[in-house]
Amino acid sequence: MTPHRRTVLVTGATGYVGGRLIPQLLAAGHRVRALVRSPEKLAPLDWADRIEIAKGSLDDFDTVRGACEGVDAVYYLVHSMSDSRDFAEREKSMAETTARAVEEAGVRRIIYLGGLHPDDVELSVHMRSRAAVGEVFLDSTVPAAVFEAGIIIGSGSASFEMIRHLAAVLPAMPAPSWVTNRIEPLFIRDLLHYLVAALDLPEDINERLPLGCGEVMTYAEAMSRASTELGLPRRPVVALPLPAQLLAGYWVSLVTPLPHGLAVPLVQSLQDDAVRSSHHVDQLIDPPPDGPTGYSRAIAQVLEAENRLLPDTAIPLPDGSPLAATPTPTPRTTHGPSPTDPPWAGPTVFHSQRTRVVQADQGELRQAAEAIVTGLKRWSLEKREPTRRLLTRRRGERFGSAWLDIRLGDGNPSGPSDVPRDSHFPDNPDGLRDSDAPTEERASRAATRLTQTTVFAPRGLLGVIAWHASSPVRALNSARMISRVLRSGTPRGRVQLTRRPSAVPAGRSTRPDRRPVPAP
């Protein structure tokens, strides 16, 4: 079927699916308008200037009606994971407002993404709400394609992130009883394929269209297979009879980075099987170009996309902002990280950082640093940027992947320090003073900022333990490394400090750099 150029309205453009759908719609040649409450959230996205942005809320009929003007189809990708008592009523009200606006504007198609669920059972509050929204659209006079998906596999997907972190952090997984429920996952790339193709559905199609990868498994099996893809031994999963879904949600928020407000409704939505009962979509829409992506292959592709961006996206400045260095151009993927993903998304990555600002030639320091790091045992040089950066990776690391990143930039000897004072080491562990150098020599040399960052992506619980256990040794080695670079890269081995040395406390980081990665 040859696709036709459409004008579409996307709601939920800043969400997980919406933010990944819009680039696919643009690539297919469609014109896109996005209705968002906070247009500034789209600013970091490299496609924001290629779409029309309408500001407003789905609560306001006039706003929604205006956004629907001249539109062929509306994507409704809004769902709240709020735990407020009236969220279900509010969601249904917004859907009814949208349905009425779509009817009056003459839109020809509604495309909605709901949750995969069984019929004739008592659903959780959130699953009932999603099903109710789908019924609102099916009952309208505008044909609706109500897609239903269960566990979505992709970096940033809440359900996938829960699986990933449960599989990674526990050597054996005590889990709530819902781990015995059956699920049928779906790769985010395949989901987007169906959402884009829905624009060319026959006009009389007005029905629920369940989606899945074709592989049915229990949640426990999904976690065990995820641990294999993470390079860990398969985890034995023990179902515990936790007395309430609320308690299970607390447990998930305790052992994973997912916030409690998200973990509780997410767990509640897992109380029933999520397996499609109909394959009618296969008769209406051609499968993805490479066929449906299997569960293990989908996870492998997600991990590959994330690993291509490490360690650049895990290196913060001392004040917490991203380091000013251009990452290696990497094509954006639908299943990899996105600048709009929440802080808890992505793999666990630890970092520790030390910074010195000295009066020394940047090129000389860079040369000294390279001579030192290339002589380190079990470390190999991965990236070299003239005068600016060196990146080395530790070979044969048992508990995870480790990098040592050294960057040099212009310092500001006269301005206030923007880094915290190191509380673990003296101001000048080398015992050398700035006053040891002649005044005219100090004045003639430019200030250079030297920043050394250790990045570690742990492999399983042992990797997390190894990171924390090695903290004192790592801090000492980091201080010694900087001292060696400064001794070798300054005249007569003098460390000519213009500011006190500083250290950023070691911390966990899940891609703090949310900037879009430039395409090649």
Side-chain angles (χ1 to χ4, degrees), residues 134-156:
E135 291 300 322
V136 168
F137 293 136
L138 291 172
D139 292 340
S140 73
T141 60
V142 177
V146 177
F147 289 104
E148 296 176 346
I151 304 298
I152 298 176
I153 306 302
S155 183

Side-chain angles (χ1 to χ4, degrees), residues 62-78:
D62 292 334
T63 297
V64 181
R65 173 64 177 80
C68 290
E69 190 66 37
V71 165
D72 298 306
V74 170
Y75 285 92
Y76 195 88
L77 305 174
V78 176

Side-chain angles (χ1 to χ4, degrees), residues 312 366 383-385 388-391 405-407:
D312 293 283
R366 159 68 169 70
K383 187 177 297 186
R384 178 191 290 109
E385 296 179 13
R388 293 185 59 197
R389 182 190 184 195
L390 294 169
L391 176 66
D405 183 272
I406 297 178
R407 306 199 188 197

Side-chain angles (χ1 to χ4, degrees), residues 317-319 353 355-357 416-422 449 451 499-504:
L317 277 172
D319 62 0
Q353 190 176 80
T355 298
R356 291 274 194 93
V357 180
S417 176
D418 59 355
V419 292
R421 178 175 177 177
D422 184 1
R449 178 193 294 270
T451 300
R499 287 194 213 152
R500 293 173 175 173
S502 61
V504 174

